[in-house]
Amino acid sequence: MKFIQIALVFFLMCSTTNHSQTIPIFKTNQKLIVDGDLSDWETPFSHPFVIHNTFEKASQNTTVSFAWNDENLYIAFRSLDSKIVGSKQKKDFPIFKTDDLVEIFIDPDGDGQNYIEIGVNAFSTNYDMLLKCISAECGGWKTSMAFDIEELETISKITTDGFCTEIKIPFSSLEKIENGNFKKPEIGTKWKGNAFRIDYGSNTEYFSLQPYKSLKFGFHQPNEFAVFEFVE
């Protein structure tokens, strides 16, 4: 565990000279149960998210951690929240318009085409979206909520100071996305992606792990996404 913590610090120090951070995704032999209880989570968490387009400190901290094995990608969020907004909704309800939630975007090649967005609120409602295109160069804004990631698991658990969220994404499901370049990762594989949070508390705020310089597409800036590197 100490080695993993040192490695994480090394990755973050190496990435501070560039705008895009390199975020390690550590391979694990641990049997991870997706239940929202992070007391058994061993992989270290990131620095706190910041306002997504100003680099300023967020009013309530959010951190994220990544792990993987040969079958799945695992993501865990810790979100401080003094006033949770939202409710249980049906799957694929547009909770990003109404509810406190966390989100993950993954675009392996960073080309802004055929990448995924997953959002989960504090009450475990989730949506999974395929973003086919976001720019005029590929035909304009095209998304699909009809898209589903097979065997996706998402759970949130409300705590005394906010909520925790766990996500499991099977690689076998991602590989089926046409022209998405979601090849099953190996040690050293690098994907582009980012993690977000929307907080509809007293003042609505938009947080991200990797902030953006550009304001052109809001949260959707694949060319400025962080680098997710799969490591031992």
Side-chain angles (χ1 to χ4, degrees):
M1 183 62 182
K2 185 175 181 181
F3 172 79
I4 292 177
Q5 291 174 329
I6 293 171
L8 177 61
V9 172
F10 175 76
F11 268 88
L12 295 179
M13 286 177 64
C14 289
S15 65
T16 55
T17 57
N18 300 312
H19 177 62
S20 291
Q21 304 172 69
T22 296
I23 307 298
I25 303 178
F26 292 103
K27 195 164 190 180
T28 180
N29 294 319
Q30 183 184 11
K31 185 176 180 180
L32 293 172
I33 299 173
V34 181
D35 57 5
D37 181 355
L38 303 184
S39 61
D40 61 344
W41 189 273
E42 294 182 353
T43 305
F45 281 74
S46 68
H47 55 72
F49 289 16
V50 295
I51 304 298
H52 81 288
N53 58 2
T54 67
F55 295 71
E56 295 176 358
K57 182 179 178 180
S59 61
Q60 301 193 99
N61 282 349
T62 310
T63 56
V64 66
S65 181
F66 299 90
W68 69 295
N69 57 26
D70 290 336
E71 289 77 37
N72 305 300
L73 171 63
Y74 297 89
I75 308 161
F77 291 85
R78 286 186 176 136
S79 303
L80 297 183
D81 200 327
S82 59
K83 182 183 179 182
I84 295 176
V85 176
S87 60
K88 186 74 174 177
Q89 301 285 354
K90 63 181 181 180
K91 179 174 172 55
D92 289 337
F93 186 85
I95 49 177
F96 48 84
K97 297 180 179 180
T98 57
D99 292 13
D100 291 348
L101 81 162
V102 292
E103 298 176 319
I104 183 73
F105 293 2
I106 306 175
D107 183 12
D109 53 17
D111 69 350
Q113 299 181 52
N114 302 302
Y115 68 98
I116 63 167
E117 173 182 346
I118 299 168
V120 189
N121 72 5
F123 302 89
S124 299
T125 297
N126 76 53
Y127 69 87
D128 46 357
M129 181 190 300
L130 178 65
L131 293 108
K132 300 178 181 179
C133 170
I134 66 167
S135 69
E137 287 77 10
C138 56
W141 190 265
K142 296 177 183 177
T143 65
S144 174
M145 274 285 204
F147 163 80
D148 286 313
I149 298 173
E150 296 175 6
E151 299 184 49
L152 171 70
E153 293 184 30
T154 66
I155 295 290
S156 290
K157 182 177 181 180
I158 295 176
T159 65
T160 56
D161 57 3
F163 63 100
C164 294
T165 305
E166 284 184 282
I167 300 172
K168 184 184 86 172
I169 308 173
F171 295 127
S172 59
S173 295
L174 297 182
E175 289 179 305
K176 295 177 182 178
I177 299 174
E178 188 175 355
N179 299 319
N181 289 319
F182 284 94
K183 297 179 181 178
K184 187 175 181 180
E186 301 174 347
I187 293 172
T189 295
K190 295 179 181 180
W191 286 357
K192 299 297 291 293
N194 210 351
F196 300 89
R197 177 182 169 196
I198 304 178
D199 182 10
Y200 287 105
S202 301
N203 296 303
T204 300
E205 289 186 320
Y206 303 90
F207 314 148
S208 63
L209 175 62
Q210 167 72 56
Y212 300 137
K213 293 180 179 179
S214 171
L215 303 180
K216 188 174 182 181
F217 297 111
F219 272 13
H220 296 269
Q221 308 284 350
N223 61 323
E224 294 191 51
F225 279 175
V227 175
F228 295 154
E229 182 170 357
F230 292 84
V231 299
E232 186 69 66

